[in-house]
Amino acid sequence: MRIFIYSIVVWIFQLFLLPISNAQNSLNLQNDSVTYNLNPYLKMLKDPHRSLSITQIQSPVFQNRFVSHPDFSLGFSQAGYWLQFTILSPPDKSWILSIHNPLLVHAKLYIPKGDSGFQVQEWGSQTTKLYSYKYPIFSIKPQSATPQTYYLYVWGDGPLDLPVLIESETFFQKKDHIEQFWQGIFYGILFVMAVYNFILYVFLRDLSYLYYVLYLILIAFFLLSLSGYGNEWLWSSPSWWSDRAVFITGNLTAIMIVIFCLQFLHLRKTLPTWYKIGRYFIIVTVVEVILGAFLLDLSLNMLLLTITAAIFVIIILSISIKSYQNGNLSAGYLLLAWTVMLISVGIAVLNAFGLIPSNTFTLKSLQIGSVTDVILISLALVDRIHSIQMQKIQIEQEKNNAEHNQKVKEEILATMSHEIRTPLNAVIGFAKLLEKTNTTQTQSDYIRHIHESAENLLVLINDILDLSKINAGKVTFEQVEINLQECVRHLFETLQFQVTEKKLEMKADIQEDVPTLFLGDPVRLNQILLNLLSNAVKFTPKGSVTLRIRTLKLEKQQIALLFEVEDTGIGIPANRLSSIFEGFTQASDQTTRMYGGTGLGLAIVKQLVEMQGGNIAVKSHPGIGSVFSVALPFYRVYSVTEKNETVPASFPETPLVLLIIDDNPLNRLIAQSTVHNASSNAKAELAGSGQEGIELLKKTEYHAVLIDLQMPDMDGYEVARHIRTHLPDKQHIPLIAMTASLDDRDHEQALAAGMHDIVTKPFEAGVLFKKIFKLRANLQNPGNEPNQK
Ligand code: ADP
């Protein structure tokens, strides 16, 4: 890069400045503490084949060919150049002549020795170095006070830039010490930054930091090579490495900066074209490094490095500008860093040619520039950490908001469904009661329609609530004993009415090896099978519905059962088979009109099956029928304690007196009518509030108390707690919660408050009596825990 800038600056210099500078004949060295620029006093002779000797060039023929205004930069030339200059100095004073170009291969100074020719000092990789220094230096000690003419012979591989300076030896040494001090600070800063960023990389595992560390190492080596300090401090020179260090480290630094930019600016996603260009650049440069290291001529290497540097500058400036324009603010730091780098290189070059005065700032511009660069890139990295943190905070906030919204949504759904279910229960309850009264045919048809519609609405509400619970991950599965026989019997009982009405045949085919008792979630199993069976009944106009149960796996701990629900119904078109498991999807657009339903049932079933580690499949032929197969895993039970609880066919056999506590008069009436209608042995008394219920309970003996959970003033939980803590003689009375909500948490809270069980409104009298019967049996026989489901 520096070489590239060198060339530009030199070219500008030649164009504008050199023609007006005054050529002078001899340089008068007097001041001990200034740096003299020798260039205006130089005359030059080109030696194209590097064949002329000092004797030859002293002949008048060649002397006349010396040009007065030699170019500062002789370009990529391999020719030799003779430079002639005359200086005047107090005798016996030591001066140092230096050529500020570490890339020079060879330099030879011919120092006049009175009348008898020249004393020769040589510098360069071809001969022994006089001084082990970063660029060519020569010691001059004029013997007389008269003007002396010197000859300097140079050639090299890189661009032949020749800033030739002279200063007193003491001044040179003083400057050199200061220089070394600054260099030490500079490389120290690079080292600390590298260690610091490496630690960040170890903790953050962000590749940008690693690339940045590698960049720091490479730029340090590049600057060491370019300034000549590498030769002076680190490696022997001349050697294979010292000849190629600038070329190799320069190219590698460029590669590393491009890799860093690709990673840091996420170019693959944000600027794919520039990402590709960057990658091509890296590949080509790697090839260039390999060829340059082992095959190419040294002078060609330097030319290639200059071209690479030019392309590199264009690429990194372009991608930084584009990224910045795209809104990546960290790219702004990079842009600033590259600009500072270019300016500092420019200042260094201008100073090297004496175009701007030497002061601490101009002399150290390369170091100051590089340190600023390193800091700016670190700032870019810090800025990125900051923006990543901001993003994290934002994501966290969004997550919290989403969770909050989900919670609010669930609460709204739960409340809504509760609010809708309460009046709906009244509708269903009264419809049921009305059905049993004396009505005309038309009236009973209307009542049936009201009843059916209300039931459908209830199913829909339950489905929506279920689906929202599943989506919120709120569904948990129990592992309690399942009695398969009972489960199937219950399913068939539930569907009996529709089956009889449609004159269908309903069969159960349970393979012999299927265990009757196993562990799982009976409620969910019932929900899954009821859904499939009621669909089968619904979509089968004539024929049969069969529930087949087979054993898929029978192991010591686990079993897997296959449930198949087969019908001879309308079937499902092949192109709809895969979509019927999606929410709100039905096999045909006429389904709702003809059969009702919402298309939610199978979506819920599929989720419930899969959440338990099972799977569901369907085979169907339109007009012939469908088979839904569900495979589900369960755990086996070994310690089967056969319960000798036989639920009587008609119960209660003995009188059963219940207390119903509910604030809603309609609900009270429905519950009471349900109990009364179910059995002449059962009687229910009513209380409109918790307090009233407690008072009644103190005075009267009841077999069980039904308590509504949601009541003003004293809710169901409070009533239960009060009974358990303040009425010692009612410690064992069965308390059953009534609720319109389906939330599992209600159940848990009810149990925690001292209740034994829960019924969902509208409840079936049979279900309620069974629960009470079981509870009373368990409570009378303390060995048995109350059944809590
Ligand atoms: P719904 O029954 O409420 O419409 P489901 O999710 O239970 O919703 O079923 C989705 C659709 O799948 C039904 O609308 C129907 O078109 C089709 N389907 C389900 N079971 C059967 C079956 N046994 N026979 C024919 N079609 C069925």
Side-chain angles (χ1 to χ4, degrees), residues 459 463 531-540 565-567 569-573 576 579-588 591-592 595-605 618 620 625-628:
V459 170
D463 279 357
N531 229 304
L532 297 179
L533 284 167
S534 55
N535 269 352
V537 172
K538 184 160 75 169
F539 296 108
T540 306
V565 176
E566 186 173 357
D567 63 57
I570 59 169
I572 303 160
R576 291 288 185 128
S579 60
I580 53 167
F581 293 107
E582 289 162 19
F584 297 106
T585 316
Q586 298 186 316
S588 115
T591 308
T592 307
Y595 300 95
T598 54
L600 278 180
L602 287 181
I604 295 172
V605 165
V618 57
S620 187
S626 319
V627 185
F628 283 83

Side-chain angles (χ1 to χ4, degrees), residues 697 720-735 754-756 779 786:
L697 194 57
R721 273 194 291 270
H722 186 95
I723 294 171
R724 293 294 180 228
T725 44
H726 295 108
L727 306 181
D729 57 324
K730 304 286 185 239
Q731 285 305 303
H732 298 299
I733 187 166
L735 298 182
M755 302 196 207
H756 290 104
L779 292 170

Side-chain angles (χ1 to χ4, degrees), residues 23 39 74 96 108 212 222 286 299 313 336 432 487 508 532 603 633 650 662 699 717 741 752:
N39 288 71
L74 303 168
I96 298 288
K108 210 182 229 184
Y212 179 55
F222 174 61
V286 167
S299 59
V313 169
L336 210 59
K432 273 185 186 170
C487 171
L532 297 179
S650 102
D662 196 325
K699 288 186 258 163
Y717 308 107
S741 148

Side-chain angles (χ1 to χ4, degrees), residues 62-116:
F62 287 107
Q63 281 292 308
N64 288 336
R65 291 197 201 157
F66 271 89
V67 194
S68 288
H69 297 295
D71 289 343
F72 260 52
S73 171
L74 303 168
F76 286 92
S77 170
Q78 289 191 324
Y81 289 89
W82 287 93
L83 301 168
Q84 183 200 65
F85 58 92
T86 306
I87 48 179
L88 186 69
S89 147
D92 289 332
K93 194 139 186 65
S94 292
W95 302 92
I96 298 288
L97 180 146
S98 54
I99 310 172
H100 285 238
N101 182 350
L103 304 177
L104 266 190
V105 177
H106 189 97
K108 210 182 229 184
L109 182 69
Y110 292 83
I111 303 165
K113 259 197 328 186
D115 293 339
S116 55

